[in-house]
Structure formats: structure tokens, C-alpha cells
Amino acid sequence: MAAANAHYYATRDPLGAGGDFTTAPEISQMFGELIGAWAADLWDRAGRPAVAWVELGPGRGTLTADALRVMARAGLTPPVHLVETSPTLRQAQAGRVAHATWHDTLATLPEDVPLIVVANEFFDALPIRQLVRAAGGWHERLVACQDTLFLPIAGASIPETIIPPTLRAAAPGSIIETSPASVAIMADLSARLVAQGGAALVIDYGYDGPAIGDTLQAVRGHAYANPFAEPGEVDLTAHVDMATLGLVATASGARLSGTIGQGAFLRALGIDQRAAALGPRVAADRARLVEEMGELFRVIAVSHPHWPQPAGFA
């Protein structure tokens, strides 16, 4: 999954009507604007310190560009750091955020100022592992190649002790997903926020796990595709276990806010008032962000324990 997605994102701009999928910032300017307002409010209540803006997996740079416009009106004009490995998408981002600094990983982000971090539809593209219940115990699902076709197979058995106790008696065929890559990034990010100050906003389609379910999916041309066909030519994603990310954050000493549905989060930030100001032309966009995506997409915030409570979380 990691190798396939690395090739996929490095060789194309997958966003928009002519691509494979559309993300919330591309649906409406309201999404990025409200996140910019969220960041400016948090910064203001924290005492207006020097901060750095960071976006993980920033797509075309649309969210950051919309957020910066709103933050500037509040007096917040931070240096911009984008964590992006795709040359194609870096070029698109440079057209919208001209003075950004790009990073391949979190390792080179600034260490001397608080960070305000946004990760929208970032964790869902990170590689997962699937553990499958068979009649005789649990196995890790692996991928094999047969006559140029990729297909899932059962690997060696794994000890039951690594399965959450509440799920060990699941029926044969049940699948548990884990994402060690996501855990590692959240641990790194949370440790930075505890050491430096700031907050991170994570928005993704997900669930509060651990749970049973196969969520691996592929999208091509805005339609579902076979995830084992044409690796590197389709977008591979899996739903994000927000509860596990939250546990990792709190174990690092950070404060967790959420989870909450994207719809409730955007309403708390004022999307209804913003939509009314923009007029009837944005009604369909608002409905898509708040109603169609409102519960499927979940939101958490991770912050320094002594920073103000981020807005949007009751």
C-alpha cells in the first residue's frame, strides 16, 4: 500500500473533476476559511505567540491558501511548512502558496516555535495491516502475485495476545486493521506539540476503534475500484481509527479534543453563517460538507496541555 500510493501521488494530480476524488477544501472555500478562523482564534487566545503553520498532505494547497487569507485578517501571518513528497503536487502547491517550505517528513519541521498543524485526509492514505480471523486462529493478510495479478493471501499465524481482548472471539473471516505508520506519526507530532506548544487538527473519514471491519478501498475516476488491480494507478485508502490516534496523543502527554463529526465541527465554527453570507450558490457545497460528509468524517484536535481549548469541541 505504501509503495503503490507513493507512485500514485508522485505521478499525478488526483484531485478534482478530472482526477480520481475531491477533498473538502476543493468542494468549497468555506472549509479552509473556517479552519483558518479556528487557527487564528486559538493563536489569539494563546497570547499571539510566534508560530509556524504546517499542513500534512496538503493536496493542491487550497486549504492552506484559504486559511492564510482568513488568518491574515486577524493579524496571523505565519511561515508555512508543507509536508509533501509528490513533485506534481508540490508544483500545484507552489502556485497557491508561493513562500512555503517543503518537507518530506516531520523530522525537518521547525523545533523552536509552537506549531499549528492541519492534517485533512492525510492519515487515510497511510499503509495499514490487516489481521484476519481463521478457524484456527489469527493471521496477517499478505499480498501475493500470481500470473501478474495481485491477490490477498493468509500469512503465518500470529499470537492471539496482540488482538484486543474484546475482539479475540470474532467470527472466522473477521478483519482487524492497524496502521503502525499512523501511530508513529501521531506519536512524533504529539511529542513535538508537548515540547514546543501548539495544536494539530486531524480530519478524516474514520471510526473509534478498535473494531472489526475491512475498510481498504481504491478509487479511480470518482468510482470504487479493485484495490489489488493496477497498483500505483488507483488511490488506496483505509478508514482511520481516531480512538487509537487519540490514545497515542494522550500517552505522549498531549490534550485530546474530540472525536466529533465534521458536520458538527463546521457548524460550531460558523459554516451556516458563512454560507448565508456567500448566498444561495454555496447551499449545495454546505450540504455536502455538513450533511453528506458530516458523520463519516471525524475530527480530533491534539494540543499542548497548557494551550487554550481549541474551538469547535463542546
Side-chain angles (χ1 to χ4, degrees):
M1 183 175 176
N5 273 350
H7 174 82
Y8 174 81
Y9 283 102
T11 55
R12 74 208 69 208
D13 178 350
L15 296 162
D20 293 325
F21 58 90
T22 300
T23 59
E26 304 294 333
I27 292 172
S28 172
Q29 69 187 66
M30 294 185 291
F31 188 81
E33 289 174 343
L34 289 172
I35 291 177
W38 175 90
D41 168 73
L42 183 63
W43 166 76
D44 181 65
R45 290 187 289 117
R48 300 196 162 210
V51 298
W53 169 270
V54 178
E55 187 176 357
L56 310 182
R60 291 174 171 169
T62 305
L63 187 158
T64 286
D66 290 338
L68 288 173
R69 187 173 61 249
V70 171
M71 289 189 288
R73 294 173 188 162
L76 174 57
T77 55
V80 176
H81 297 266
L82 304 178
V83 179
E84 177 62 70
T85 59
S86 166
T88 302
L89 291 175
R90 282 191 179 192
Q91 185 175 5
Q93 293 154 17
R96 291 170 172 80
V97 190
H99 302 294
T101 300
W102 280 268
H103 304 263
D104 291 329
T105 69
L106 275 66
T108 54
L109 291 174
E111 298 180 346
D112 57 347
V113 294
L115 305 177
I116 297 180
V117 184
V118 175
N120 178 64
E121 292 196 51
F122 169 76
F123 283 96
D124 66 271
L126 297 180
I128 61 165
R129 291 180 173 179
Q130 290 188 335
L131 310 179
V132 185
R133 179 74 156 88
W138 290 88
H139 301 259
E140 182 170 9
R141 172 173 278 182
L142 304 180
V143 179
C145 184
Q146 179 179 352
D147 300 327
T148 73
L149 297 176
F150 288 89
L151 69 162
I153 63 170
S157 62
I158 60 173
E160 189 178 75
T161 52
I162 72 170
I163 304 298
T166 57
L167 303 179
R168 290 174 187 171
S174 299
I175 293 176
I176 298 172
E177 295 178 344
T178 68
S179 179
S182 297
V183 167
I185 289 175
M186 179 54 78
D188 185 1
L189 181 59
S190 300
R192 279 179 167 273
L193 295 175
V194 171
Q196 298 174 222
L201 186 67
V202 178
I203 306 172
D204 230 311
Y205 51 90
Y207 60 98
D208 292 332
I212 296 293
D214 178 2
T215 73
L216 177 67
Q217 66 182 32
V219 172
R220 188 172 193 177
H222 299 270
Y224 291 114
N226 180 353
F228 298 101
E230 299 184 275
E233 301 302 320
V234 296
D235 175 49
L236 296 178
T237 64
H239 288 209
V240 178
D241 181 354
M242 291 293 207
T244 293
L245 293 185
L247 287 172
V248 172
T250 55
S252 300
R255 179 173 58 195
L256 175 68
S257 302
T259 60
I260 188 174
Q262 176 178 290
F265 179 71
L266 293 177
R267 284 195 298 269
L269 296 186
I271 193 171
D272 293 333
Q273 293 84 347
R274 182 59 176 148
L278 291 174
R281 65 183 177 86
V282 302
D285 296 339
R286 179 224 164 264
R288 189 171 176 186
L289 292 172
V290 173
E291 295 163 12
E292 294 178 28
M293 301 169 67
E295 280 301 316
L296 175 62
F297 282 73
R298 311 296 296 170
V299 186
I300 61 173
V302 177
S303 56
H304 186 282
H306 297 150
W307 265 53
Q309 174 76 18
F313 301 91

